[in-house]
């Protein structure tokens, strides 16, 4: 891809965000009722191509169960409030009442409570007993310490998620997690990320991961771009990682690694574009944080917001607009793409003539002014 000159000493290629691309209608249309938005990763089938991000403001064991019964997949943060406190209800209420200028410092104090290994097993057991597919997340830094408790509890899908995750972490202070060896020895499908480039994604796919998360610093509650100056526009990132999936498919002799867009999607249109650009599914947080059942009570924050040394996120007010079911499956009462996310996806696929998500990845897109 051609590069442009930023100045005499630096060149870079053009990259695009969701607002700079659009989906093109085709010569064929379909009825939305005849469109399938189901997807499958490893042995697990889902009616909706939506994973809910491991954020305490959205996913608790109880809301993971609700989302699972609606056809999606809620991912529990195993470094969040539910593994630090027996009952975090009072703390969630406190977080919702904090003045903005105190929010970050108070979050840091609340999340300073140590993780309790017995609560990891208890939370996963609660979800398993409800009969849903269970998914839970750890950061790479804590995976080596807690993975056995996660697997012993019977998790179905293990998510290793960080702002960025590489297959070649270098450290002079501690032995880094060997992702390839870890995944090889683990009898549970692993989804790992984020990443934002073709090369980084290809290396993660070679570790044996079942899925790769795409995204860096683009979430609604992230301030990574402001704090670190690092970000990659999501449309280009997804397309690059989808190309890595194709290259790895050829390299491995037919092993398909699922690409999951993670971050930067707040409306149904952005979710639809992510899938059109090559994602197999999406991981969303803030759209579901607006549900009346969400633990954040109209507030949204991620793990970056309470980082002890360098917070790269914020507690943000998103309000409430409806139930999980209304946000995911309608009916919609807002015209801004915030409700009936699945219905909008179905209609977009029908309007462009596609009946399956894999086919929809071939839809024509254009760059808009």
């Amino acid at each position: 891809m051609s590069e442009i000159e930023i100045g005499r000493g630096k060149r870079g290629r053009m990259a695009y965000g969701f607002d700079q691309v659009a989906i093109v209608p085709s010569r064929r249309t379909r009825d939305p009722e005849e469109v399938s938005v189901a997807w499958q990763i490893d042995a697990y089938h889902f009616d909706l191509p939506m994973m809910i991000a491991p954020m305490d403001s959205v996913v608790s064991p109880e809301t993971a169960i609700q989302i699972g019964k609606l056809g999606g997949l809620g991912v529990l943060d195993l470094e969040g409030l539910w593994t630090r406190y027996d009952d975090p209800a009072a703390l969630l209420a406190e977080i919702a009442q904090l003045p903005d200028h105190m929010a970050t410092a108070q979050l840091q104090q609340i999340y300073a409570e140590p993780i309790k290994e017995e609560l990891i097993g208890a939370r996963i057991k609660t979800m398993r007993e409800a009969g849903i597919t269970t998914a839970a997340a750890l950061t790479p830094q804590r995976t080596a310490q807690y993975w056995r408790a996660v697997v012993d509890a019977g998790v179905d899908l293990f998510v290793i998620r960080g702002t960025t995750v590489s297959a070649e972490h270098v450290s002079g202070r501690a032995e880094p997690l060997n992702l390839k060896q870890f995944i090889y020895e683990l009898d549970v499908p692993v989804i790992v990320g984020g990443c934002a480039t073709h090369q980084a994604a290809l290396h993660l796919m070679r570790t044996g991961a079942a899925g790769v998360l795409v995204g860096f610093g683009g979430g609604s509650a992230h301030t990574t771009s402001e704090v670190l100056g690092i970000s990659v526009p999501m449309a280009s990132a997804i397309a690059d990682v989808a190309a890595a999936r194709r290259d790895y498919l050829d390299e491995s002799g037919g092993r398909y690694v699922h690409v999951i867009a993670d971050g930067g999607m707040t409306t149904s249109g952005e979710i639809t574009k992510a899938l059109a650009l090559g994602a197999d599914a999406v991981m969303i947080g803030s759209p579901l944080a607006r549900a009346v059942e969400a633990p954040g009570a109209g507030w949204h924050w991620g793990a970056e917001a309470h980082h002890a040394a360098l917070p790269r996120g914020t507690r943000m007010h998103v309000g409430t607009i409806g139930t999980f079911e209304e946000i995911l499956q309608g009916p919609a009462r807002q015209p801004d793409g915030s409700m009936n996310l699945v219905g909008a996806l179905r209609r977009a696929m029908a309007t462009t003539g596609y009946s399956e998500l894999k086919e929809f990845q071939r839809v024509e897109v254009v760059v808009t002014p």
Side-chain angles (χ1 to χ4, degrees):
M1 184 177 292
S2 61
E3 294 183 334
I4 61 173
E5 186 177 280
I6 298 168
R8 292 194 178 189
K10 183 68 73 173
R11 299 179 66 85
R13 69 184 180 97
M14 184 71 75
Y16 302 98
F18 289 128
D19 60 342
Q20 295 168 291
V21 299
I23 298 167
V24 179
S26 68
R27 63 180 177 83
R28 178 183 294 130
T29 57
R30 296 181 182 274
D31 292 331
E33 294 78 15
E34 297 175 0
V35 168
S36 170
V37 296
W39 79 297
Q40 181 167 328
I41 182 167
D42 203 82
Y44 302 102
H45 176 92
F46 303 95
D47 293 335
L48 311 180
M50 294 175 185
M51 298 175 66
I52 314 307
M55 294 175 160
D56 284 344
S57 55
V58 188
V59 181
S60 67
E62 290 72 26
T63 60
I65 292 167
Q66 286 181 268
I67 291 161
K69 291 181 176 179
L70 289 170
L73 177 66
V75 183
L76 185 69
D77 181 9
L78 295 180
E79 299 174 33
L81 296 176
W82 277 271
T83 57
R84 297 176 191 264
Y85 298 93
D86 290 324
D87 183 3
L91 292 166
L92 288 163
E94 178 185 340
I95 292 169
Q97 298 298 321
L98 288 173
D100 288 343
H101 70 280
M102 294 176 57
T104 299
Q106 191 62 20
L107 282 170
Q108 289 174 326
Q109 184 174 330
I110 290 171
Y111 281 88
E113 179 74 15
I115 296 168
K116 298 173 179 61
E117 197 164 308
E118 65 273 15
L119 287 178
I120 291 176
R123 303 314 189 196
I124 293 173
K125 180 182 178 183
T126 296
M127 296 188 292
R128 281 188 62 82
E129 289 179 345
I132 62 166
T133 300
T134 59
L138 288 171
T139 60
Q141 294 85 350
R142 287 200 168 104
T143 295
Q145 182 177 359
Y146 293 114
W147 72 267
R148 190 170 297 279
V150 179
V151 174
D152 288 348
V155 77
D156 295 312
L157 290 166
F158 195 154
V159 179
I160 301 175
R161 182 177 186 260
T163 304
T164 184
V165 177
S166 74
E168 299 181 14
H169 180 67
V170 178
S171 174
R173 297 184 305 163
E175 183 68 26
L177 176 68
N178 185 323
L179 268 177
K180 188 170 186 176
Q181 181 180 344
F182 176 78
I183 292 172
Y184 177 78
E185 294 175 353
L186 202 63
D187 194 26
V188 174
V190 175
I191 298 170
V192 63
C195 66
T197 67
H198 177 279
Q199 185 180 35
L202 196 56
H203 280 282
L204 287 179
M205 291 171 184
R206 288 169 179 160
T207 66
V212 170
L213 299 170
V214 185
F216 188 97
S220 298
H222 287 200
T223 58
T224 302
S225 178
E226 293 85 348
V227 176
L228 300 182
I230 304 174
S231 67
V232 180
M234 279 295 287
S236 293
I238 293 167
D240 282 350
V241 177
R245 176 186 59 204
R246 179 195 61 219
D247 293 343
Y248 180 70
L249 189 69
D250 293 338
E251 174 188 303
S252 64
R255 184 172 181 272
Y256 190 93
V257 178
H258 294 266
V259 171
I260 302 156
D262 179 10
M265 295 160 289
T266 58
T267 67
S268 55
E270 290 166 340
I271 291 169
T272 300
K273 290 177 187 181
L275 296 163
L277 288 160
D280 296 289
V282 298
M283 178 176 276
I284 52 177
S286 61
L288 275 296
R290 303 175 76 181
V292 295
E293 306 100 321
W299 293 88
H300 181 51
W301 66 93
E304 296 83 2
H306 54 79
H307 192 285
L310 192 67
R312 302 182 309 281
T314 183
R315 184 205 62 158
M316 61 182 292
H317 188 252
V318 294
T320 55
I321 58 172
T323 65
F324 281 129
E325 184 170 8
E326 289 169 335
I327 292 172
L328 286 172
Q329 298 177 329
R333 294 188 300 276
Q334 307 285 345
D336 57 3
S338 61
M339 302 184 76
N340 197 3
L341 306 179
V342 178
L345 171 60
R346 287 182 185 276
R347 186 164 293 278
M349 291 174 63
T351 300
T352 52
Y354 294 92
S355 60
E356 303 283 343
L357 286 174
K358 286 279 196 303
E359 298 173 357
F360 187 56
Q361 293 172 348
R362 301 196 298 266
V363 70
E364 181 182 355
V365 298
V366 293
V367 177
T368 62

